[in-house]
Amino acid sequence: VQLQASGGGLVQPGGSLRLSCAASGLTFSRYNMAWFRQTPGKEREFVSAFSGSFNTYYADSVKGRFTISRDNAKNTVYLQLNSLKPEDTAVYYCAAAKFFTTTHRTVDYWGQGTQVTVSS
């Protein structure tokens, strides 16, 4: 199984980014895809996830600003980040879980991470 995340970068406060995560080696439509993020010295924290292919969930800190989406035909999950704040700076990881989860402890597969830096 491989999850290849991309799309991170440096952006000014208030800006936008779109993260992508291409999956291979698994039956993509059967997995609850998710995004987590991590800053140095802190635990990996939940950002957003699918339950199945349609129901979406968000951390309170990103609700209304981030949007998760997926394209099962392309085996890809996306995270649109809008109205970015400096506190959104982190390494963002895509994840695949057989069962819906908002904790990093029950994720089955991880991507390699992509850095998002929000700074003026």
Side-chain angles (χ1 to χ4, degrees):
V1 174
Q2 188 171 17
L3 303 179
Q4 185 69 40
S6 61
L10 172 63
V11 63
Q12 292 186 342
S16 298
L17 283 174
R18 189 193 195 203
L19 308 183
S20 300
C21 176
S24 60
L26 52 72
T27 305
F28 183 77
S29 62
R30 295 182 180 177
Y31 280 80
N32 299 280
M33 301 303 296
W35 289 93
F36 289 75
R37 66 187 181 186
Q38 190 171 23
T39 54
K42 293 189 176 181
E43 278 202 352
R44 200 166 291 188
E45 68 170 359
F46 170 75
V47 174
S48 181
F50 275 96
S51 175
S53 289
F54 300 105
N55 295 318
T56 57
Y57 296 84
Y58 297 91
D60 288 343
S61 59
V62 308
K63 203 170 294 183
R65 300 188 297 120
F66 291 7
T67 303
I68 191 171
S69 60
R70 64 190 293 165
D71 186 338
N72 287 349
K74 295 182 178 180
N75 287 2
T76 301
V77 61
Y78 306 95
L79 187 68
Q80 179 69 40
L81 292 68
N82 295 332
S83 301
L84 281 161
K85 304 176 182 180
E87 51 263 43
D88 294 318
T89 296
V91 178
Y92 283 70
Y93 296 89
C94 63
K98 294 176 184 174
F99 301 101
F100 172 73
T101 183
T102 60
T103 173
H104 62 90
R105 296 178 180 84
T106 52
V107 166
D108 294 290
Y109 304 107
W110 290 102
Q112 87 284 9
T114 184
Q115 176 72 47
V116 172
T117 302
V118 185
S119 175
S120 55

